[in-house]
Amino acid sequence: MTRFLVTYHGAGAPPNAEEQQQAMAAFMTWVNQVGSALVDPGAPLGSSAVVTSEGVAKDGVAEGPAAGYSILEADDLAAAAELLREHPFVGRGGALQVSQAISPT
């Protein structure tokens, strides 16, 4: 199986503890739906630095910043995208980008 990196963009964190618990419950429902295809559920992302040929910008963001990530396994890009159709992050107004992870070997 091929691995795919899923990055989370927009939507932001729910504003209060109750909505955060609801979001986590919805995420766990999705996790159970996709089962073993979810290799790594990932985590929200914190501070970042941007590294370019011109140097390092601490606490910077690259164009189109990611807010979190997950790693899926699927037969192809279309199958990986299908696994994300019911992801609750999309329902909250966010977008998910799925990219094939190219093995270095």
Side-chain angles (χ1 to χ4, degrees), residues 22-51:
Q22 291 170 352
M24 182 55 76
F27 178 74
M28 294 310 297
T29 297
W30 175 79
V31 166
N32 290 325
Q33 288 174 346
V34 300
S36 64
L38 184 63
V39 175
D40 178 349
L45 300 176
S47 297
S48 62
V50 177
V51 180

Side-chain angles (χ1 to χ4, degrees), residues 20-90:
Q20 289 170 3
Q21 289 174 352
Q22 291 170 352
M24 182 55 76
F27 178 74
M28 294 310 297
T29 297
W30 175 79
V31 166
N32 290 325
Q33 288 174 346
V34 300
S36 64
L38 184 63
V39 175
D40 178 349
L45 300 176
S47 297
S48 62
V50 177
V51 180
T52 68
S53 60
E54 297 177 11
V56 177
K58 295 184 187 238
D59 293 324
V61 293
E63 188 174 324
Y69 76 95
S70 297
I71 298 174
L72 293 174
E73 279 187 333
D75 289 328
D76 56 30
L77 183 59
E82 184 63 29
L83 289 170
L84 297 170
R85 286 179 60 112
E86 300 299 321
H87 196 294
F89 189 77
V90 175

